[in-house]
């Protein structure tokens, strides 16, 4: 068992000044990590250092500072490549985040898909993983098929196998569900899809903060993630694509940085990764993303996963003591996310009351309306934990939820 003392959570918490502030007169308890995680001082320092001493445009300048900025952003690419064990650094593309990565792939496939081709997604997806495929299908005449879910909030794998046909071109699933926390059996999904000749894109937005992801071992064709859920800044993320796939897809945006030769008649494109990085990139964001990954690796993702699992187990047991409380998403294989409702109480009302006590949780449909439709509920209260959270915070949270229940019922 990994206790708070062994991980030295108090020392870790000191890296996050926001955790010592008060909200509505109470010490902040931040349980909205699945939406955006907090940023440690080390990452903020990297941002300040960049703007104070190295701010310059990249890849073009002959001068010293431009070369420093270029080295720093390319070093961040290397950190990401190593962290996710991609085969080549050229396979890592900087994006604005998960949503942009998905749109980049959907745009690329619009040049590849034919009328009647099929894409499989799941009923567990975030809206940003549903809408781009609906638009792609409208554009190309391709068909969207959906893996159903079970009451526990798991993918129905027997139904999944039956969705394949010789027209299946792409399978797209979340590695971890943001609304329910379910960890999907992605290795099995990838193996099945490859047997049928389909490519696989995984949405790693909720997996990457909590577990080690080895892209070569997974054999995913594409993988996307956002830095702001990995203790980095907003507005930056990454897309991984196997080199052969990225070479096949057309550019997403056009402009500076992504070209090789331009004449007024015709242009040729830069090699990977710059083919997909038109315009001045989020240089500082990328550098800070690399620093966030260094920070996580200093604690160790295995330690993080083990400690968060302990928090999840503890919070689940404590919450279940509340009469009338129902947890949605009960897979044994789950990340540190708990979605729940209490009898007929509206999640928003519970969230608002506990906010007055300094507790930040998410309420609503969590951009997953199809999941809420499946359970026939308007939304849930979602508490999502990070390695800087503690059992004492969970105790206070449970106390606050009990108080909200008493006030509202
Ligand atoms: N997919 C999942 C599973 C998510 O949780 C989120 C963010 N809530 C997204 C995609 C979208 O991420 P971003 O807003 O960073 O692009």
């Amino acid at each position: 068992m990994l206790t708070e003392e062994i991980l030295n959570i108090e020392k870790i918490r000191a890296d996050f000044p926001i955790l010592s502030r008060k909200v509505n007169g109470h010490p902040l308890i931040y349980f909205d990590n699945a939406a955006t995680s907090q940023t440690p001082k080390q990452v903020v320092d990297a941002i300040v250092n960049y703007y104070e001493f190295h701010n310059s445009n990249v890849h073009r300048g002959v001068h010293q500072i431009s070369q420093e900025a270029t080295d720093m952003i390319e070093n961040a690419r290397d950190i990401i490549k190593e962290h996710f064990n991609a085969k080549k650094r050229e396979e890592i593309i900087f994006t604005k985040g998960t949503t942009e990565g998905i749109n980049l792939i959907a745009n690329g496939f619009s040049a590849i898909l034919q009328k009647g081709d099929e894409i499989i997604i799941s009923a567990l997806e975030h809206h940003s993983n549903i809408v781009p495929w609906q638009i792609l299908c409208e554009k190309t005449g391709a068909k969207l098929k959906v893996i159903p879910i079970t009451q526990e909030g798991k993918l129905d794998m027997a139904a999944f196998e039956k969705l394949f046909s010789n027209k299946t071109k792409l399978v797209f699933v979340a590695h971890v569900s943001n609304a329910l926390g379910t960890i999907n059996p992605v290795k099995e999904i990838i193996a099945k899809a490859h047997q049928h000749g389909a490519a696989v894109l995984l949405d790693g937005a909720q997996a990457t903060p909590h577990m080690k992801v080895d892209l070569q071992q997974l054999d995913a064709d594409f993988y996307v993630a956002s830095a702001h859920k990995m203790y980095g800044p907003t507005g930056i993320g990454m897309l991984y694509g196997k080199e052969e796939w990225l070479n096949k897809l057309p550019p997403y945006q056009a402009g500076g940085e992504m070209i090789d030769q331009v004449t007024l008649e015709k242009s040729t494109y830069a090699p990977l990764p710059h083919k997909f990085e038109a315009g001045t990139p989020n240089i500082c964001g990328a550098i800070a993303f690399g620093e966030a990954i260094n920070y996580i690796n200093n604690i160790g993702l295995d330690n993080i996963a083990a400690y968060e699992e302990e928090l999840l187990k503890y919070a689940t047991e404590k919450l279940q003591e509340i009469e009338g409380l129902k947890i949605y998403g009960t897979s044994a294989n789950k990340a540190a996310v708990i979605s729940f409702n209490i009898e007929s109480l509206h999640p928003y009302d519970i969230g608002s009351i506990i906010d007055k006590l300094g507790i930040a949780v998410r309420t609503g449909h969590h951009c997953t309306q199809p999941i809420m439709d499946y359970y026939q509920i308007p939304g849930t209260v979602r508490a999502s934990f990070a390695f800087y959270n503690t059992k004492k915070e969970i105790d206070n949270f449970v106390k606050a939820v009990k108080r909200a229940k008493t006030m509202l019922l």
Side-chain angles (χ1 to χ4, degrees):
M1 202 170 87
L2 261 171
T3 61
E4 287 169 23
E5 290 73 35
I6 292 172
L7 265 186
N8 204 349
I9 298 298
E10 275 317 305
K11 184 167 172 286
I12 286 173
R13 285 177 68 86
D15 291 334
F16 295 83
I18 200 170
L19 297 179
S20 54
R21 68 162 279 191
K22 290 198 168 173
V23 169
N24 293 323
H26 297 269
L28 168 67
I29 295 180
Y30 190 78
F31 285 173
D32 194 19
N33 296 288
T36 287
S37 53
Q38 296 303 338
T39 312
K41 269 193 311 211
Q42 290 82 340
V43 174
V44 177
D45 288 348
I47 294 169
V48 172
N49 175 55
Y50 170 75
Y51 276 115
E52 283 189 345
F53 299 110
H54 306 281
N55 184 24
S56 184
N57 214 321
V58 289
H59 299 132
R60 286 173 286 211
V62 68
H63 61 81
Q64 173 67 24
I65 299 177
S66 170
Q67 284 177 18
E68 286 170 12
T70 304
D71 288 347
M72 288 165 87
I73 192 174
E74 293 306 326
N75 178 50
R77 198 187 308 274
D78 286 333
I79 293 170
I80 295 168
K81 179 236 170 214
E82 286 301 315
H83 181 74
F84 290 107
N85 192 27
K87 205 189 261 173
K88 298 186 169 179
R89 65 190 312 283
E90 291 77 10
E91 295 176 321
I92 303 295
I93 312 292
F94 287 119
T95 62
K96 270 197 309 189
T98 303
T99 305
E100 189 176 53
I102 295 165
N103 278 277
L104 189 156
I105 302 300
N107 176 73
F109 268 79
S110 68
I112 289 179
L113 289 185
Q114 309 276 324
K115 192 168 189 294
D117 282 344
E118 293 172 359
I119 301 172
I120 298 176
I121 63 167
S122 94
L124 266 189
E125 301 309 315
H126 188 277
H127 294 162
S128 68
N129 312 346
I130 299 173
V131 187
W133 309 113
Q134 290 172 336
I135 293 173
L136 177 62
C137 286
E138 272 168 31
K139 258 199 229 166
T140 59
K143 201 171 144 197
L144 203 58
K145 290 182 160 180
V146 181
I147 313 168
I149 58 173
T150 66
Q151 272 299 318
E152 297 162 284
K154 290 163 67 173
L155 297 183
D156 181 340
M157 293 300 284
F160 169 57
E161 294 205 17
K162 293 192 191 123
L163 294 179
F164 284 98
S165 79
N166 60 4
K167 299 262 184 199
T168 312
K169 291 292 185 301
L170 184 68
V171 175
F172 177 63
V173 290
H175 193 162
V176 171
S177 154
N178 66 308
L180 305 179
T182 316
I183 301 173
N184 288 322
V186 287
K187 205 153 167 44
E188 195 184 330
I189 289 169
I190 291 167
K192 273 274 165 290
H194 285 173
Q195 273 171 23
H196 290 273
V200 181
L201 165 58
L202 294 182
D203 170 357
Q206 297 295 339
T208 46
H210 305 294
M211 62 184 73
K212 187 93 191 101
V213 175
D214 182 326
L215 290 168
Q216 289 190 69
Q217 204 207 0
L218 273 181
D219 199 25
D221 301 283
F222 304 102
Y223 198 95
V224 286
S226 298
H228 71 97
K229 296 184 199 282
M230 299 176 69
Y231 314 99
T234 51
I236 185 81
M238 70 109 186
L239 158 72
Y240 158 82
K242 280 185 184 163
E243 188 182 26
E244 57 271 32
W245 267 114
L246 292 180
N247 279 331
K248 247 187 260 179
L249 299 184
Y252 176 48
Q253 293 186 335
E257 300 264 354
M258 53 74 74
I259 49 85
D260 176 24
Q261 296 288 326
V262 177
T263 66
L264 291 177
E265 289 73 37
K266 185 169 167 44
S267 304
T268 53
Y269 308 134
L272 296 173
H274 304 296
K275 171 183 158 187
F276 291 106
E277 292 180 352
T280 300
N282 182 351
I283 305 164
C284 177
I287 293 164
F289 188 9
E291 199 56 40
I293 288 180
N294 285 341
Y295 184 86
I296 294 175
N297 285 334
N298 274 338
I299 301 174
L301 265 169
D302 289 343
N303 290 337
I304 289 173
Y307 177 64
E308 288 178 350
E309 200 177 320
E310 231 178 272
L311 291 181
L312 174 69
K313 194 161 165 274
Y314 185 76
T316 305
E317 282 167 11
K318 291 276 167 190
L319 281 172
Q320 275 169 337
E321 287 169 9
I322 301 175
E323 217 175 53
L325 184 142
K326 179 171 175 181
I327 293 176
Y328 297 89
T330 51
S331 168
N333 210 6
K334 223 180 121 167
V337 170
I338 305 182
S339 252
F340 67 89
N341 278 329
I342 301 175
E343 297 179 20
S344 59
L345 299 183
H346 200 285
Y348 179 84
D349 294 334
I350 298 173
S352 301
I353 289 177
I354 68 175
D355 172 54
K356 296 283 172 293
L357 301 168
I359 301 171
V361 291
R362 203 75 170 173
T363 62
H365 55 59
H366 317 296
C367 296
T368 55
Q369 280 178 11
I371 299 181
M372 303 302 134
D373 291 346
Y374 173 78
Y375 288 117
Q376 298 185 318
I377 49 177
T380 67
V381 180
R382 183 188 70 183
S384 51
F385 310 114
F387 54 77
Y388 43 61
N389 292 130
T390 65
K391 289 185 180 167
K392 185 161 170 270
E393 287 182 316
I394 291 172
D395 289 339
N396 287 335
F397 162 65
V398 173
K399 233 187 267 168
V401 173
K402 284 181 182 163
R403 190 160 154 194
K405 181 186 164 190
T406 313
M407 284 170 73
L408 292 166
L409 272 180

